[in-house]
Amino acid sequence: MSVLQQTPVAVPAPAPRKRYRRQDRSGYLFLLPWFAGMLFTIIPFFASLYLAFTDYNLLNPPEWIGLANFREMLADERLMRSLRVTVIYTVVSVPLSLAAALGVAMVLQQGIRGLPVYRAIFYLPSLLGSSVAVVILWRYLFGVDGVINKGLAWFGITGPAWTTDPSHALTTLIILHVWTFGSPMVIFLAGLRQIPAAYYEAAAVDGAGPWRRFRSVTLPLLSPIIFFNLVQSLIASLQTFTQGFVMSGGTGGPADSTLFYNLYLYLRGFTQFDMGYASAMAWVLFVLIALLTAVNFLAARWWVFYDD
Amino acid sequence: MMDRRAALRAAALTAAGLGALSACGRGFGGGGDDTPDGAVVLTMVWWGDNTRARKTQAALDVFQRKNPGITVRTEYQDSAPYKDKLATRFAAGDPPDLMAMRMDSLREYADRGALLELAGLDLSGLGESARTLAAVGDRTYGVPSGLNSIGFVVNRTLTDRFGVRIPDGDTWGWDDLGTFARAVTEAGDGTVYGTGFDLFTLANLFVFTRQRGEDFFTERGTLGITAGTVQAWFEMAQRMRDERALPPAGFMDEAGSSAAQSYIASGKLASQIIPTNNFLSYNEAAGGNLALLRMPGETQGVRRGQSIDTPALWSIAARSKHPREALALLDFLINDPEASQATGTTRGVPPNQRVAAAIRPGLAKDDQVATDYLIGLQGETLPRSFTYPPGGSSIAASLETIATEVEFKRQTPADGAAAFIAEATKALRT
């Protein structure tokens, strides 16, 4: 839900400071819990930065080793595999889930009766998507004898071992991710509402068809929201952990095909006693995500249109 | 589930770059916080299910009655996340006094000085193989909580229905297993497979390796298994799978880890490999008509493959605040017949032979089957099990990856074997 509060579009233009004093105060009041929580994260935050430069096996005190962890990362084949899994997962599933979210949002926007009900139904999966229970359910749906394969057998197709065949396990997780498009969809719906109907009427009068109206009115006016959803989804997707952990029983298997970066980090830290290395991995991911987001913001100048 | 979620949450924080330390001190409760009246509180952690919890608590009740002034606070959980949580607990500087220790983790803790050397513990009742099972040089950091081995269980209800004869479990070979399993699969007409076992479960491969005259890990902690043996292991499974004696690739990975979730319980497999101390729970889950056979190939190989092992060791933390009391508790669990009368053989046959003999008449019938199986093996000359060298857990991980690749024919058995030897050698060197 915090995602919704961060939506940039709804922020009013800055107004004269004095008039807003009281609002400021309640704003800070609302922020208080965040500051309190921050205290608990800021110390570990810097501690992990220190640990990234140490050899720390959890049992003995950390030992300073300079850049050795980072050098080891360059030659770590399993790390490269985990990066590959994470990037493929992100590159395929983020555009698909955003497209699905936008598509469904536009259909719902047409003014169907019972909209709140449909909206809730489509939103539900994204509340559940990364929960342990749903991934377990997913495992059964996609089991060798699961519902999906039984359905395919009806049409005479022998379904593969979706979750245990290294060629298909990641695909199954991508489908799961696309299915949880509800959260960007709700944001898209809010954005679509803000596009004045007058624009569409004017376009229709000029003889623009549905596709042209979508391309020349909807897309540009919605672009700040698309941008926001894109940035959010990319960050979340690069941090994927639960889906891989639960689906593979904590190993990243079959054959490392669901070994997400964060899952590998977890394995190094907590099962192989390499907390120094795991901390270094965490910081590399942090920097990668920060860079990617910065690039995103720079690129946004070229395609995001703010209609002030 | 809560425990796993707590671990996930901790990991998610780490992942977000918010720091490794945030994971410390979570999950387990505090330890060593004694009651005001001066009584000692010991913490004890282990893995297992509710049945094991009930039996363990019964033994602890006896201990607390005999030792007024000592309270034991015990915590248990599923085996899968145990390793991670124990590591976290040590990192937080709050290790449990007494803990179940995995064979493959022992050196990782002992070599770093995290475990108490059990010099003062009376191990005179243990046989040679049990006493040395977890020896690191001439020191002892872990005592077997029980003795077990692995064995083949066969569901007689299924074989009777299909009219397939079960081979003689003392003399059968791997070929006999293939013939038997193929016959079951054919009779079962696609609903039942003859047998199934993981290629990457080390205990299974250990047996096969020893039968070929090699050791997986040598006494010096090096890699003893050769590429030829790994290749033969992969090829044998591939042949059996092609003949439909084994289920299709990926099938085995979908079963849960408990007896109730196993394929032998659901009737999809007619036979599988289990740790013998779990015979009782498997037999209950599978309808009560399981036969317990030895591993195949024991009479055909260069030498014997089976060994006496332990499902878990007991270890004491070096930083325990109450080492004397923890040792007393461990001594009770190992050497007092009353403790084993309460726990039965949930962790295997008691390692103390006098205790094992004393409790045998009172055991449940299924536990007697498993006990006799093990006592039989103990009377024979078997190769020794050596402790896992540090790096053993990453070797297990690469075997799992490569075995899966081979199973799905993304790698040939020969390539897979070569890749495994290369990765395992590297893991032991670093």
Side-chain angles (χ1 to χ4, degrees), chain A residues 85-124:
Chain A
V85 166
T86 311
V87 168
I88 291 176
Y89 176 79
T90 302
V91 167
V92 177
S93 67
V94 167
L96 282 180
S97 76
L98 287 185
L102 182 56
V104 174
M106 288 181 63
V107 170
L108 290 182
Q109 174 67 8
Q110 301 300 312
I112 310 170
R113 244 192 304 164
L115 172 68
V117 178
Y118 287 110
R119 197 168 50 199
I121 290 174
F122 282 116
Y123 185 59
L124 208 59

Side-chain angles (χ1 to χ4, degrees), chain A residues 255-266:
Chain A
D256 282 353
S257 61
T258 62
L259 185 73
F260 290 100
Y261 188 89
N262 270 351
L263 181 50
Y264 181 49
L265 182 158
Y266 171 82

Side-chain angles (χ1 to χ4, degrees), chain A residues 44-45 47 144 164 167 241 262 266, chain B residues 8 15 18-19 84 250 254 408 410:
Chain A
F45 184 83
V144 170
T164 54
S167 319
F241 172 81
N262 270 351
Y266 171 82
Chain B
L8 294 179
L18 296 181
D84 324 356
E254 289 190 0
F408 281 95
R410 290 152 58 112

Side-chain angles (χ1 to χ4, degrees), chain B residues 334-346:
Chain B
I334 299 293
N335 293 325
D336 193 326
E338 277 192 68
S340 295
Q341 244 142 33
T343 54
T345 57
T346 176

Side-chain angles (χ1 to χ4, degrees), chain A residues 58-71:
Chain A
L58 293 173
L59 301 176
N60 302 120
E63 213 174 288
W64 185 268
I65 51 168
L67 292 172
N69 282 330
F70 296 94
R71 269 197 296 273

Side-chain angles (χ1 to χ4, degrees), chain A residues 1-11 34 187 228 231-232 235:
Chain A
M1 289 316 284
S2 62
V3 167
L4 287 176
Q5 285 148 16
Q6 292 165 17
T7 311
V9 277
V11 178
W34 182 81
I187 300 172
F228 170 75
V231 171
Q232 288 284 327
I235 293 176

Side-chain angles (χ1 to χ4, degrees), chain B residues 45-47 82 98-107 115 118 130-135 140-147 309-316 330 334 347 387:
Chain B
V45 301
W46 48 273
W47 72 83
Y82 183 83
L98 181 68
M99 75 208 85
M101 176 62 64
R102 293 161 52 113
M103 274 291 273
D104 62 355
S105 299
L106 180 79
R107 292 280 305 269
L115 300 180
L118 303 173
R131 206 168 44 240
T132 56
L133 194 56
T140 304
Y141 294 96
V143 186
S145 59
L147 300 178
D309 297 289
T310 182
L313 302 161
W314 288 126
S315 292
I316 296 176
L330 182 51
I334 299 293
R347 292 188 178 86
T387 44

